[in-house]
């Protein structure tokens, strides 16, 4: 399965609107930037509420646990993943949902914060991590029933965080995606080139400095880097790929020990990246743009997605080399040949979908503005 993003006050950043166009906006200290497309659409009321809470001295979202609700599975959910035979989905207000019967029924986990959560990843049926706004990183040891905070806003007095003075003003940078190679080693990526790494299961995190995409600059300048890192994935042989804004793609050939910036023929946003059984790398994103590479990202070829809808999430089956992509306005793309060709269909409800994953019984679980739903492996309705 492929798990697949504020700046100091007054500085512009990019986000994608529902119509799939790049836009520019501004945000204050309480601003938010969500994962993939959906997080960017969260109401400005959330920003205003955050400012009122701070001004009145009311406990912030780190002191308020996520509330249980029967409607949680119908709320905005931003990522979904397999956890052994189970399915776990995360979304706004700290909602984390777990299904232990293939998506038929769902239970809501105990989460210590109401922060919006953008991504989730499990290394086993029991152990997983979720990331979101304000650099929140949560961990579970019981399959998603209960969660604990491992990391949040970077603070100067945090002894477990290796951080530069230049980055202190960006301590609320949201994290967009997370990947763990094993119980100990993991990475979280986010807005403005943010990457954090742990080697002890999340007990402490350190910043990873990424190479600059501009070959004319000898040094990497964190203050100038504006490109958000939206998705991270890895292959069984230890390669890691990261996709982001402005056609950004990074590759590590040695499980994160070193990184190279890959040159792509695309200058828009990538929201997801997949590596198939045949080592074909497929990056997809804004307005249906999709590119593939058969040589580890050295040469890229455009893939005809047959749509101009923004593609946000993918589910890839290693067993039969099939792939399902989901996006805005009900767009569903299916490939039975490892991403060489796609067939497209549009769901009648036209609901924006953000992420997808295979289930243990061969179906596809999707999440987005309609909460969580199930589809056939080919994208048809169940």
């Amino acid at each position: 399965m492929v798990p697949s993003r504020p700046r100091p006050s007054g500085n512009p950043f990019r986000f994608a609107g529902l119509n799939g166009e790049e836009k520019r906006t501004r945000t204050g200290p309480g601003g938010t930037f969500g994962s993939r497309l959906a997080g960017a659409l969260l109401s400005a009321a959330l920003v205003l509420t955050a400012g009122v809470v701070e001004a009145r001295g009311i406990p912030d979202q780190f002191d308020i646990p996520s509330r249980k609700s029967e409607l949680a599975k119908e709320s905005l959910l931003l990522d979904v993943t397999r956890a052994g035979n189970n399915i776990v989905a995360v979304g706004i207000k700290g909602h984390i949902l777990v299904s232990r019967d293939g998506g038929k029924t769902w239970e809501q986990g105990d989460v210590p914060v109401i922060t919006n959560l953008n991504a989730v990843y499990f290394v086993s049926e029991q152990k997983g991590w979720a990331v979101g706004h304000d650099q929140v990183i949560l961990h579970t040891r019981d399959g998603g029933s209960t969660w604990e905070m491992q990391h949040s806003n970077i603070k100067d007095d945090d002894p477990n965080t290796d951080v530069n003075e230049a980055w202190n003003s960006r301590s609320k940078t949201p994290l967009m995606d997370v990947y763990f190679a094993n119980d100990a080693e993991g990475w979280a990526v986010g807005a403005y080139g943010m990457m954090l790494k742990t080697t002890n299961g999340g007990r402490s995190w350190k910043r990873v400095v990424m190479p600059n995409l501009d070959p004319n600059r000898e040094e990497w300048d964190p203050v100038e880097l504006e490109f958000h890192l939206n998705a991270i994935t890895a292959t069984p042989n230890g390669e890691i790929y990261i996709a982001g804004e402005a056609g950004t793609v990074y590759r590590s050939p040695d499980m994160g020990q070193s990184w190279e910036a890959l040159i792509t023929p695309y200058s828009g946003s990538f929201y997801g990246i997949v590596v198939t059984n045949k080592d074909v790398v497929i990056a997809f994103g804004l307005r249906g743009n999709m590119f593939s590479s058969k040589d580890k990202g050295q040469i890229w070829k455009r893939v005809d997605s047959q749509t101009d809808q923004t593609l946000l999430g993918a589910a890839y089956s290693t067993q039969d080399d099939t792939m399902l992509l989901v996006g805005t306005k009900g767009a569903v793309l299916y490939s039975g040949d490892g991403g060489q060709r796609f067939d497209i269909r549009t769901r009648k409800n036209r609901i924006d979908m953000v992420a997808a994953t295979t289930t243990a019984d061969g179906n596809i679980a999707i999440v987005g503005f309609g909460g969580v739903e199930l589809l056939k492996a080919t994208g048809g309705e169940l």
Side-chain angles (χ1 to χ4, degrees):
M1 177 265 171
V2 179
S4 300
R5 284 161 203 322
R7 229 194 201 288
S9 179
N11 286 285
F13 68 80
R14 300 180 184 87
F15 75 103
L18 261 182
N19 58 3
E21 297 178 351
E22 289 278 13
K23 298 182 179 180
R24 303 284 289 187
T25 187
R26 295 180 181 269
T27 180
T32 61
F33 186 96
S35 74
R36 302 177 176 89
L37 175 74
L41 303 173
L42 293 176
S43 170
L46 293 176
V47 178
L48 297 176
T49 299
V52 172
V53 166
E54 183 177 358
R56 294 180 178 177
I58 300 173
D60 64 24
Q61 55 193 348
F62 296 126
D63 300 318
I64 304 174
S66 182
R67 295 176 177 86
K68 298 292 183 69
S69 170
E70 293 183 359
L71 299 178
K73 72 182 185 70
E74 299 174 15
S75 65
L76 173 57
L77 298 173
L78 300 175
D79 198 20
V80 62
T81 191
R82 280 273 298 278
N85 291 321
N86 303 328
I87 313 170
V88 182
V90 302
I92 63 169
K93 300 180 181 179
H95 289 165
I96 299 183
L97 301 168
V98 182
S99 177
R100 308 185 192 281
D101 56 9
K104 298 179 179 66
T105 61
W106 296 84
E107 65 182 58
Q108 194 171 349
D110 294 322
V111 181
V113 292
I114 60 171
T115 304
N116 296 326
L117 300 174
N118 297 327
V120 60
Y121 189 87
F122 274 70
V123 295
S124 67
E125 191 164 309
Q126 299 301 314
K127 295 183 178 180
W129 288 262
V131 301
H133 286 234
D134 300 306
Q135 288 194 18
V136 161
I137 302 178
L138 304 175
H139 178 47
T140 181
R141 296 182 176 88
D142 57 12
S145 295
T146 60
W147 296 78
E148 62 179 345
M149 176 90 78
Q150 284 192 330
H151 185 274
S152 62
N153 281 359
I154 291 180
K155 294 180 174 61
D156 296 342
D157 57 357
D158 186 347
N160 294 321
T161 303
D162 179 17
V163 62
N164 247 318
E165 184 70 24
W167 284 93
N168 287 341
S169 62
R170 297 185 183 180
S171 63
K172 292 187 177 182
T173 301
L175 296 172
M176 307 311 194
D177 206 358
V178 59
Y179 166 75
F180 270 74
N182 48 53
D183 288 357
E185 194 169 20
W187 295 260
V189 298
Y192 297 98
M194 173 68 67
M195 181 191 286
L196 300 176
K197 179 181 179 180
T198 181
T199 57
N200 56 18
R203 292 193 298 275
S204 63
W205 295 80
K206 292 186 177 181
R207 189 179 306 283
V208 177
V209 177
M210 301 298 287
N212 198 288
L213 287 170
D214 186 349
N216 297 319
R217 290 171 56 183
E218 296 180 358
E219 296 183 358
W220 185 86
D221 182 358
V223 177
E224 295 300 325
L225 184 61
E226 291 189 354
F227 301 140
H228 308 314
L229 304 178
N230 295 328
I232 180 170
T233 191
T235 68
N237 62 3
E239 293 177 317
I240 303 178
Y241 289 87
I242 297 172
E245 270 195 321
T248 300
V249 176
Y250 288 109
R251 172 181 176 265
S252 172
D254 48 17
M255 194 52 73
Q257 299 304 307
S258 64
W259 295 90
E260 62 175 327
L262 304 177
I263 305 300
T264 70
Y266 177 58
S267 60
S269 292
F270 285 130
Y271 291 114
I273 189 163
V274 182
V275 184
T276 72
N277 292 341
K278 299 178 181 178
D279 288 331
V280 177
V281 184
I282 300 175
F284 55 88
L286 198 66
R287 300 179 66 86
N289 280 285
M290 190 187 316
F291 294 83
S292 68
S293 173
K294 297 181 179 180
D295 56 4
K296 303 181 186 300
Q298 302 307 305
I299 300 176
W300 296 83
K301 178 182 178 182
R302 181 180 292 275
V303 179
D304 183 10
S305 69
Q306 304 181 60
T307 182
D308 61 359
Q309 295 303 315
T310 294
L311 303 174
L312 299 170
Y316 174 69
S317 172
T318 58
Q319 295 181 338
D320 56 11
D321 201 29
T322 60
M323 190 183 310
L324 189 81
L325 274 65
V326 296
T328 56
K329 296 186 179 179
V332 177
L333 279 65
Y334 172 77
S335 174
D337 55 12
Q340 296 183 55
R341 188 181 67 86
F342 286 87
D343 294 323
I344 183 171
R345 70 178 67 203
T346 301
R347 302 188 67 204
K348 291 182 179 180
N349 60 22
R350 298 296 180 100
I351 290 178
D352 297 323
M353 297 165 287
V354 183
T357 188
T358 58
T359 67
D361 54 5
N363 293 319
I364 301 290
I366 59 171
V367 297
F369 281 77
V372 59
E373 301 178 72
L374 292 176
L375 298 178
K376 295 180 180 178
T378 57
E381 304 290 335
L382 279 174

